[in-house]
Amino acid sequence: MGDYGQYVVPTADTMINFKVGQPAPSMLPLDKIRECAALKFEETDPMFLQYGHIKGYPKFRHTLAEFLTKGYKAPVDPEKLFITNGVTGGIALVCSLFAQAGDLVFMEEPSYFLALSIMKDFKINVRQIRMEEDGIDVVELERLLELGIVPKMLYTIPTCHNPTGRTLSAEKRKKIVELSVKYNFMVVADEVYQLLSFPHITPPPPMFTFDTHGTVLALGSFSKILAPALRLGWIQGSPKLLNVIVNSGQLDSSGGISPVISGIVHAAITSGKQQEHLDFAVQTLWQRADALMKELKKHLPEGVTFEVPNGGYFVLVRLPENMSAAELLPIAEKHKVMYLPGSSFSESMKNYLRLSFSWYDYHDLELGARRLSDAIKEYQGIVAARQAATPAATGAAALASSNALRVAVHGAAGRLGSLIVSELQQTTDKSVEFAGAFDLRKNVVPAAGSYDVIVDVTLPEGTKALISWILAQDKATFKNGKYPSLVVGTTGSLPTTSIEEYSKHAAVVLKSNFSVGVPLVCDLVKAAAFKLPAEGWNVEVSEIHHTKKLDAPSGTAKTIVKSLVATGAACTGATGSVPTQSLRLGDEIGQHTVYFAGPGERIEIKHQATRREVFAIGAVRSAKQATNLAAGIHY
């Protein structure tokens, strides 16, 4: 690591590092920044160094709005701007204020790896939707929404997407905003490349121009259009959304974000130096992208292709399906070239790699393209030899995937349902596969026979509707002429009559909690109840959940109480009942505590869930177990 840079980029004779998504030193306008800083510090008002406005000081926001109005070719209201410390900080700020752990967020597949990382930090459940040539697949997006799978927000990089370089069409931008209004979710548009389309490309208008109902937050940054070290950016949105940010506790009395840097950039805009540098940057990036693509076209072996970006910093290379960018990397490093594997952006991108062209000049780009091509050719030889030595799969092995257990989810719109869907879609377990999501309460009906097990995580009326629908179908239409097994994880008072009727035909697994730990807690509390003295001891149960949980006590608490009462132990009291306390606090995932108290001592047995994903994993595990069970009710 150097004195200032994030890391030292080696000279080309040592390594061409295409991972470096940064402007070259020649693209850092030190003289312009120095002049603008001098201009700003010539001011005599010491209040420039005082705590500033939370949204950013008004003159700067007005100047920024004028600059963006010119660049976007659409009017920007300064009152709809909030100054941030860059897009990364903006994403984190939005996640902290508009989402909570367990919420669902839609993103493109692939998507910016740091955005994915930030979502993970906030324990947000991400579902990626594949991209088409003109951006995210809005047909698939609408299909999911119609199924009741509605996110808290959709994060998109609409212009010069990272890593594909694609640009979302105007038609799709309009459609996404319309869907956000219809289904009540927020659109977070990362528009860091909106001003960096190549000179011959005219991008569609920014996302905010389609927003008439205040569902869009757009993020911008000076990192790519002026200098990364400024750590300055903006959020653009409706007053309603911006007020959530302005009034947040984390910004209360903050004095605004980077007011001194804002002053320097203010001078850069008013002096015209920002526009000068932007014009230079766009032209330079286009020249370098064009140079790299010409060399790739000349040297890449047959079967290897690349995306032609609309702007930005990156070219995405696609290897044949039987090749892995991660496996290629050490071979490439031996050839003195590096890149970022596509798996950083999506698990489905294992045969892709991203090249950044912003750092290197024409000669180095040519050298890097040749080195990469040589590495790929060497790797192709290794793959070919490996395939020749491996006999083709036959018989049962070839049919393994078709024999996978097909699991459908009823009630995928809820927190748990969406997590189960994600777990099924992302699992590496080849013995199970996702068969679809549906919700009879919303008149979304599945095709009979396309699944082996249904995991139901709705409400009691949803469970009843599901059973009624299945029994109304011709049994012959289901797989092997059998009704599917059911795994029921609904909350509230279950429709016992319906469940008992269905259990005559297939296995029904009832789970008040899908975690591994809760059944163990039930065993422990039963053992404790048996062991405790008959006199002077009593037992109570408490449970804590998030404020959106509908039932109280929770189903898990009822299961624990049922386990205790079944012991007939003296501590459960003469009536055989166990008092239960329910608390609904914030975004608490789930905590259950059993208290045994006697003369001078107390025993506590507690289970606390720290990640909602454990329930999704447990649900899939229960689905796999259900197929091996006979018809009847199982716990």
Side-chain angles (χ1 to χ4, degrees):
M1 183 175 290
D3 290 339
Y4 298 110
Q6 188 175 15
Y7 41 74
V8 174
V9 180
T11 56
D13 60 324
T14 303
M15 179 72 70
I16 300 287
N17 187 354
F18 282 128
K19 287 176 63 176
V20 182
Q22 302 177 0
S26 61
M27 294 177 65
L28 296 174
L30 180 58
D31 289 341
K32 286 183 171 63
I33 296 296
R34 182 186 292 115
E35 291 173 27
C36 293
L39 281 173
K40 195 63 186 176
F41 281 101
E42 284 177 359
E43 294 184 9
T44 58
D45 188 352
M47 293 300 289
F48 171 51
L49 301 178
Q50 187 56 274
Y51 288 109
H53 295 261
I54 290 180
K55 289 176 68 175
Y57 73 87
K59 286 185 179 179
F60 174 54
R61 286 189 288 109
H62 277 269
T63 299
L64 175 59
E66 292 172 358
F67 171 73
L68 294 177
T69 295
K70 178 183 176 183
Y72 290 166
K73 297 180 174 58
V76 174
D77 183 350
E79 293 306 312
K80 294 183 178 180
L81 293 175
F82 178 93
I83 304 306
T84 69
N85 60 350
V87 163
T88 303
I91 295 171
L93 187 62
V94 170
C95 287
S96 70
L97 295 174
F98 293 95
Q100 56 185 341
D103 280 342
L104 176 65
V105 170
F106 285 166
M107 299 174 72
E108 293 130 337
E109 185 176 28
S111 191
Y112 178 39
F113 66 93
L114 282 181
L116 287 165
S117 180
I118 291 170
M119 301 295 174
K120 184 178 180 181
D121 289 343
F122 283 95
K123 296 180 173 59
I124 290 170
N125 181 34
V126 171
R127 179 160 184 168
Q128 292 184 266
I129 299 174
R130 74 180 187 90
M131 291 186 71
E132 299 175 315
E133 290 297 321
D134 60 346
I136 193 169
D137 183 349
V138 294
V139 173
E140 174 64 9
L141 170 62
E142 189 165 19
R143 186 188 73 82
L144 292 171
L145 295 170
E146 288 173 348
L147 286 172
I149 305 174
V150 180
K152 179 60 68 73
M153 63 180 76
L154 181 148
Y155 169 87
T156 177
I157 307 172
T159 306
C160 309
H161 176 269
N162 178 9
T164 65
R166 299 174 186 175
T167 291
L168 187 68
S169 67
E171 293 76 17
K172 286 190 173 182
R173 294 176 190 229
K174 182 173 183 289
K175 181 67 173 179
I176 288 170
V177 175
E178 289 173 349
L179 290 172
S180 74
V181 175
K182 181 178 179 180
Y183 290 96
N184 192 31
F185 63 88
M186 188 167 68
V187 177
V188 179
D190 184 344
E191 296 185 327
V192 68
Y193 301 108
Q194 182 68 29
L195 298 174
L196 290 175
S197 292
F198 293 143
H200 59 287
I201 300 289
T202 300
M207 291 293 287
F208 79 89
T209 61
F210 301 92
D211 182 21
T212 58
H213 290 76
T215 60
V216 175
L217 279 180
L219 311 179
S221 172
F222 288 96
S223 292
K224 298 292 194 293
I225 65 173
L226 192 54
L230 295 170
R231 309 315 303 143
L232 193 70
W234 63 89
I235 295 177
Q236 182 180 1
S238 66
K240 179 181 178 181
L241 293 179
L242 289 189
N243 283 341
V244 174
I245 301 174
V246 172
N247 296 324
S248 67
Q250 60 185 294
L251 293 173
D252 187 27
S253 191
S254 67
I257 296 175
S258 302
V260 171
I261 299 299
S262 296
I264 295 171
V265 175
H266 186 192
I269 296 174
T270 55
S271 67
K273 296 186 186 302
Q274 165 64 88
Q275 189 62 52
E276 286 177 20
H277 182 72
L278 177 58
D279 293 342
F280 163 74
V282 169
Q283 190 63 38
T284 301
L285 289 169
W286 161 239
Q287 290 171 350
R288 294 184 176 190
D290 187 50
L292 176 60
M293 289 188 288
K294 284 177 179 176
E295 294 305 318
L296 291 174
K297 189 174 182 180
K298 188 186 303 182
H299 297 292
L300 284 178
E302 186 177 353
V304 180
T305 59
F306 62 87
E307 296 255 0
V308 177
N310 290 304
Y313 271 48
F314 311 108
V315 169
L316 188 67
V317 176
R318 182 181 184 276
L319 303 171
E321 293 287 344
N322 63 341
M323 297 175 70
S324 161
E327 193 175 44
L328 167 64
L329 187 56
I331 300 171
E333 290 175 348
K334 187 178 68 174
H335 285 266
K336 299 182 180 180
V337 64
M338 295 175 65
Y339 54 79
L340 192 61
S343 55
S344 300
F345 308 94
S346 167
E347 282 300 312
S348 67
M349 301 283 289
K350 292 179 180 178
N351 61 315
Y352 287 80
L353 53 99
R354 191 195 74 176
L355 308 178
S356 173
F357 48 77
S358 58
W359 186 270
Y360 295 101
D361 61 20
Y362 181 90
H363 173 75
D364 290 344
L365 291 169
E366 178 186 19
L367 182 61
R370 281 194 279 108
R371 288 178 180 175
L372 178 63
S373 299
D374 289 342
I376 294 173
K377 290 171 185 175
E378 180 180 337
Y379 180 45
Q380 282 180 324
I382 294 171
V383 172
R386 186 165 59 205
Q387 289 178 335
T390 305
T394 58
L399 295 172
S401 62
S402 64
N403 291 330
L405 179 72
R406 292 181 56 76
V407 181
V409 180
H410 184 223
R415 286 185 176 182
L416 178 55
S418 64
L419 283 171
I420 296 170
V421 170
S422 292
E423 176 64 23
L424 286 165
Q425 290 181 324
Q426 297 172 18
T427 183
T428 57
D429 184 352
K430 301 300 182 184
S431 68
V432 63
E433 62 183 36
F434 179 51
F438 62 99
D439 196 329
L440 292 166
R441 297 170 301 172
K442 301 178 184 294
N443 295 317
V444 180
V445 181
S450 60
Y451 34 78
D452 302 288
V453 184
I454 299 174
V455 178
D456 175 39
V457 283
T458 55
L459 293 170
E461 59 268 25
T463 304
K464 185 175 181 179
L466 173 62
I467 291 173
S468 297
W469 178 83
I470 296 174
L471 293 178
Q473 309 305 308
D474 182 354
K475 191 174 182 179
T477 62
F478 290 95
K479 194 171 181 180
N480 300 322
K482 296 180 180 179
Y483 287 125
S485 300
L486 291 186
V487 175
V488 180
T490 58
T491 58
S493 300
L494 293 174
T496 53
T497 302
S498 296
I499 289 172
E500 288 171 357
E501 175 61 26
Y502 191 77
S503 69
K504 297 174 184 177
H505 306 278
V508 180
V509 178
L510 302 181
K511 289 286 186 180
S512 60
N513 191 299
F514 286 117
S515 75
V516 172
V518 166
L520 178 59
V521 167
C522 290
D523 290 340
L524 290 172
V525 298
K526 284 192 290 186
F530 277 124
K531 291 283 187 180
L532 289 173
E535 298 295 329
W537 284 79
N538 71 304
V539 59
E540 292 199 9
V541 175
S542 76
E543 55 96 357
I544 307 173
H545 283 86
H546 53 87
T547 55
K548 294 182 180 179
K549 186 167 179 61
L550 298 177
D551 57 323
S554 67
T556 301
K558 291 178 180 177
T559 298
I560 294 172
V561 168
K562 186 177 180 180
S563 298
L564 285 164
V565 171
T567 66
C571 63
T572 61
T575 60
S577 62
V578 177
T580 304
Q581 308 296 325
S582 298
L583 293 176
R584 297 293 173 259
L585 301 174
D587 60 355
E588 181 73 39
I589 295 173
Q591 177 178 306
H592 294 84
T593 307
V594 181
Y595 301 91
F596 295 96
E601 56 185 316
R602 184 174 75 230
I603 300 169
E604 296 181 14
I605 299 176
K606 181 168 75 173
H607 177 271
Q608 182 169 9
T610 57
R611 293 175 59 231
R612 285 191 171 87
E613 288 84 353
V614 299
F615 304 127
I617 295 168
V620 175
R621 182 171 54 247
S622 296
K624 292 173 67 175
Q625 294 169 345
T627 57
N628 297 319
L629 298 174
I633 298 176
H634 306 268
Y635 297 93

